[in-house]
Amino acid sequence: MRGGTWLRCILASLLATVLAGSAMAQTGKVGYLDMQRLLDNAPQVVAARKQLESEFQTRDRQLKQEEARLAALKDRDVRESGILPKAAADALKREIVALERSIQRTRKKSADELKARADEEIAKHWPEINDAVIAFAREQGYDLILRSPIPYANPRIDITDAVLARLRAEAAKKPTP
């Protein structure tokens, strides 16, 4: 019985060695993709970002006007607080507080809407970006593409620039709306 167990251990060891050797012989081609850099520089996303900037430009201008009005009210409060009647000084302070709250609400609402619209735009372009990554990987014979964030990737396996070039070429082929 002991001989059978010993023989099984030797056979298992041999099998493990053969499997490990064949696994090492079949190492695949691995690439790394910096998603943040890809999304920051993909022409599809850059164009969407410019569109959003123009879309929110009016709101930003209005917000800056309100902030300028608030600054003027605060200056007036500092200058005239000693000479204004108490009722007028209190009314001015209430107006300042109300305007500050309004600006904060508007700023938060605008930021939330901008974030939601930016997410929509990325979601709209995501299939095209993902397809470009997959097509590049298949054409170049990659077995695995890792996306950031990962702790470390050797720069020689970074394919971000190549995928960006592909996305730029695809964007150049499309007619501008």
Side-chain angles (χ1 to χ4, degrees):
M1 192 76 162
R2 283 183 93 185
T5 306
W6 184 248
L7 184 60
R8 282 190 207 143
C9 284
I10 292 174
L11 286 175
S13 183
L14 265 169
L15 182 62
T17 304
V18 168
L19 288 176
S22 70
M24 288 177 69
Q26 295 177 355
T27 57
K29 190 173 179 182
V30 176
Y32 163 72
L33 190 63
D34 184 337
M35 291 305 294
Q36 189 62 50
R37 190 163 48 109
L38 184 69
L39 291 176
D40 285 346
N41 297 302
Q44 296 81 352
V45 177
V46 170
R49 194 177 305 126
K50 286 180 183 175
Q51 177 187 349
L52 287 175
E53 285 173 5
S54 67
E55 192 177 308
F56 281 81
Q57 189 175 31
T58 304
R59 291 183 195 187
D60 288 343
R61 211 174 309 120
Q62 290 171 345
L63 187 61
K64 286 179 181 168
Q65 288 173 347
E66 289 294 303
E67 288 170 342
R69 185 172 152 239
L70 177 63
L73 286 173
K74 285 182 175 182
D75 285 347
R76 180 177 166 215
D77 183 42
V78 169
R79 279 190 328 267
E80 299 176 5
S81 64
I83 58 173
L84 282 176
K86 178 157 175 40
D90 289 345
L92 182 59
K93 287 187 187 326
R94 281 193 304 273
E95 185 178 359
I96 289 171
V97 168
L99 187 55
E100 283 176 334
R101 287 181 183 154
S102 174
I103 289 171
Q104 287 173 352
R105 278 192 306 271
T106 303
R107 190 179 291 133
K108 175 150 178 36
K109 181 181 176 188
S110 185
D112 290 347
E113 288 178 18
L114 179 61
K115 170 94 171 86
R117 286 284 293 118
D119 290 347
E120 284 175 21
E121 288 298 320
I122 288 175
K124 183 169 80 174
H125 295 289
W126 181 250
E128 182 179 358
I129 292 169
N130 199 43
D131 289 347
V133 172
I134 291 169
F136 176 81
R138 286 181 177 156
E139 287 171 6
Q140 300 299 317
Y142 282 90
D143 296 308
L144 177 67
I145 302 295
L146 300 170
R147 295 189 305 192
S148 61
I150 59 173
Y152 173 76
N154 191 316
R156 70 179 167 76
I157 66 168
D158 188 349
I159 63 167
T160 308
D161 290 331
V163 173
L164 277 170
R166 180 184 197 93
L167 286 168
R168 287 182 183 120
E170 288 176 9
K173 290 178 189 175
K174 291 183 181 179
T176 56

